[in-house]
Amino acid sequence: MAGIYIHIPFCKTKCHYCDFYKSTDFASRPDFLTALHLEIASRKNEILGEEIESIYFGGGTPSVLKVAEISGIVERIASVYSVSPQAEITMECNPDDLTADYLGELKASPVNRLSIGTQSFNDRDLKSMNRRHNGKQAVNAVSEAQKAGFSNISIDLIYGLPQQTLEAWIDNVEQAIALNVQHISAYHLTYHEGTVFYDYLKNGKIKELPDELSFDQFKWLKSALEKAGFEHYEISNFACNGLYSKHNKAYWERKAYLGFGPSAHSFDLKTRRWNVSSLRNYLEAFEQRKPNWETEVLSQQDQYNDYVITSLRTQWGISDHYLLTNFEPRFEKHFKAEAQQFITSNHLVVEEGTYKLTTEGLFISDRIMEQLLFIEES
Ligand SMILES: C[S@@+](CC[C@H](N)C(=O)[O-])C[C@H]1O[C@@H](n2cnc3c(N)ncnc32)[C@H](O)[C@@H]1O
Ligand code: SF4
């Protein structure tokens, strides 16, 4: 079982928080599509014999492509790899691209799951993030997708925004619940270097939300969604009726995946590979038949660290048995010694040999992971 990620590196405008690789120059779009098809065909010997269980179009903005272009990419993949008939095929979509006509065509394509970047239903929030849509368009995009017949829809929300009150966030979550979607991803705002928000923060133009307020937002989100029937299965992800993101769940379970397009990552259980994060260099490498990627073979320490980072994020947690059977004993010893302080402080619980984050732990998971990682002193 394996997954495929396709990075579509185009956005009509750039949002103030986002550091995903993207370009607003659409002139190279035809060359990009040619190179992408070539990349898919040229890597046919990777993950041989594995069935593809998920395909994920991320970006950038996949919904800037025509539906025929999306279908063409899926057909190319199916001509090279063995794609399961039940494969989950997700496409990230921006609300302003989702017209009834576009959605109608998309429903007739192989795409069977949508991840809609609503981010907020509050016009002030959306404007401050430099989104291209307003709250009404966010609601309409979801209801049009439902009318078109999509029954596996995820929406994205961002909280911890500068000046976002608890009341405004509660209103957002209530609107999200009322949409009757199957999946919600709610991310705490991260300030990435190189983004407009990062510069505003450095210049004092905006202030980070106090930790207590964003923790209140997180607690409210978790309890409201759980009351509404969602399962909190990963730090930022909630699903109804077991409709997890198959693709992302496979990342957290460290299954193999192939990533195509600029900045896309691949993993074959032993090696990590990342394509160059530049559309120009990606295209030049194809023209000159040169590699456009770098690779790293994972040491036992890297594999342990990956296991901690990915498993601790989920409700399935870290298994003592897995640590013992997959790594040298020093890793389990290190893990148990470091975990103890977080058990005492009620950030971690142990149930039948499985370590899981508590609500308090989920909120400061980055700090906890840092302590649990194994860094050899040089
Ligand atoms: C690849 S991005 C965007 C997909 C699509 N282009 C869109 O904007 O709707 C996936 C999601 O990551 C989240 N995200 C991106 N940057 C973030 C940041 N700095 N902090 C929190 N969430 C972020 C947003 O919710 C976004 O929808
Ligand atoms: S959030 Fe989406 S639309 Fe905005 S810049 Fe990032 S990838 Fe592009």
Side-chain angles (χ1 to χ4, degrees):
M1 284 203 331
I4 286 184
Y5 173 80
I6 315 279
H7 192 79
I8 306 298
F10 300 107
C11 290
K12 289 177 187 158
T13 49
K14 294 186 182 180
C15 305
H16 285 351
Y17 52 84
C18 178
D19 83 333
F20 285 86
Y21 177 69
K22 73 254 164 199
S23 164
T24 49
D25 175 10
F26 282 59
S28 46
R29 178 185 155 144
D31 292 342
F32 162 72
L33 286 169
T34 307
L36 181 69
H37 278 264
L38 281 172
E39 187 188 3
I40 296 169
S42 71
R43 295 176 64 189
K44 65 173 187 288
N45 291 331
E46 295 184 35
I47 56 171
L48 271 182
E50 293 236 33
E51 187 156 59
I52 303 301
E53 288 286 333
S54 64
I55 298 176
Y56 192 100
F57 286 90
T61 312
S63 52
V64 297
L65 292 189
K66 294 186 185 119
V67 173
E69 290 168 333
I70 294 283
S71 300
I73 297 168
V74 177
E75 277 161 31
R76 171 72 61 194
I77 293 170
S79 73
V80 175
Y81 302 96
S82 153
V83 179
S84 156
Q86 284 82 43
E88 173 191 271
I89 306 184
T90 305
M91 179 168 149
E92 285 181 354
C93 297
N94 281 42
D96 53 304
D97 294 324
L98 294 184
T99 60
D101 285 350
Y102 189 84
L103 283 159
E105 272 187 65
L106 204 55
K107 185 67 186 80
S109 80
V111 172
N112 53 28
R113 182 173 184 272
L114 301 183
S115 171
I116 305 179
T118 49
Q119 319 304 354
S120 173
F121 301 102
N122 176 308
D123 289 347
R124 199 192 62 90
D125 288 352
L126 289 164
K127 214 162 175 223
S128 79
M129 292 188 265
N130 200 33
R131 292 295 293 181
R132 294 188 298 276
H133 66 274
N134 59 30
K136 197 163 167 232
Q137 281 173 294
V139 172
N140 285 346
V142 176
S143 60
E144 287 296 339
Q146 288 164 330
K147 274 191 224 153
F150 281 98
S151 55
N152 195 354
I153 300 177
S154 179
I155 58 170
D156 287 344
L157 294 175
I158 302 184
Y159 65 102
L161 290 167
Q163 296 187 345
Q164 188 179 42
T165 61
L166 182 59
E167 292 68 33
W169 174 240
I170 290 175
D171 186 53
N172 255 342
V173 178
E174 281 173 351
Q175 293 208 52
I177 293 170
L179 291 174
N180 285 317
V181 289
Q182 290 68 34
H183 190 280
I184 296 178
S185 301
Y187 303 103
H188 190 285
L189 174 67
T190 310
Y191 291 89
H192 295 287
E193 211 171 332
T195 62
V196 171
F197 268 0
Y198 185 88
D199 292 343
Y200 284 176
L201 189 67
K202 288 284 154 232
N203 303 336
K205 210 169 160 186
I206 54 174
K207 274 207 209 120
E208 254 183 277
L209 209 63
D211 265 2
E212 313 83 75
L213 178 50
S214 46
F215 186 39
D216 282 346
Q217 294 184 342
F218 175 71
K219 282 189 287 192
W220 206 91
L221 165 80
K222 182 172 167 63
S223 88
L225 291 190
E226 285 176 346
K227 258 187 232 146
F230 285 85
E231 190 179 332
H232 189 190
Y233 72 104
E234 195 267 350
I235 297 174
S236 312
N237 286 287
F238 299 82
C240 274
N241 304 322
L243 285 169
Y244 312 122
S245 160
K246 266 200 210 176
H247 186 79
N248 288 335
K249 192 163 173 282
Y251 287 155
W252 302 318
E253 290 169 346
R254 290 163 315 288
K255 295 188 176 144
Y257 55 87
L258 284 175
F260 300 118
S263 82
H265 284 228
S266 306
F267 171 62
D268 68 2
L269 309 185
K270 292 191 189 84
T271 315
R272 257 196 295 254
R273 158 183 163 143
W274 54 100
N275 287 357
V276 62
S277 287
S278 151
L279 183 54
R280 188 144 58 97
N281 294 353
Y282 178 79
L283 296 177
E284 270 175 17
F286 268 98
E287 270 168 31
Q288 296 163 11
R289 296 178 197 277
K290 283 196 320 208
N292 61 357
W293 67 87
E294 288 179 67
T295 57
E296 179 190 25
V297 177
L298 299 181
S299 65
Q300 170 111 166
Q301 178 178 315
D302 296 330
Q303 291 181 37
Y304 161 85
N305 288 340
D306 267 7
Y307 175 65
V308 169
I309 292 169
T310 51
S311 304
L312 204 60
R313 310 183 64 84
T314 72
Q315 66 173 353
W316 298 282
I318 292 189
S319 143
D320 200 13
H321 176 74
Y322 188 93
L323 285 175
L324 272 172
T325 47
N326 286 277
F327 306 104
E328 291 159 19
R330 63 194 173 116
F331 291 102
E332 195 239 9
K333 202 167 152 222
H334 166 82
F335 177 83
K336 279 195 159 166
E338 291 294 331
Q340 193 49 53
Q341 60 189 300
F342 299 113
I343 296 169
T344 311
S345 61
N346 191 37
H347 289 98
L348 271 181
V349 285
V350 197
E351 287 161 8
E352 296 169 13
T354 302
Y355 293 72
K356 295 177 193 171
L357 292 169
T358 60
T359 303
E360 287 72 18
L362 282 165
F363 190 67
I364 57 153
S365 58
D366 288 351
R367 272 178 262 168
I368 298 175
M369 281 174 202
E370 239 171 73
Q371 293 293 314
L372 298 174
L373 297 186
F374 194 98
I375 314 284
E376 197 119 54
E377 282 168 30
S378 51

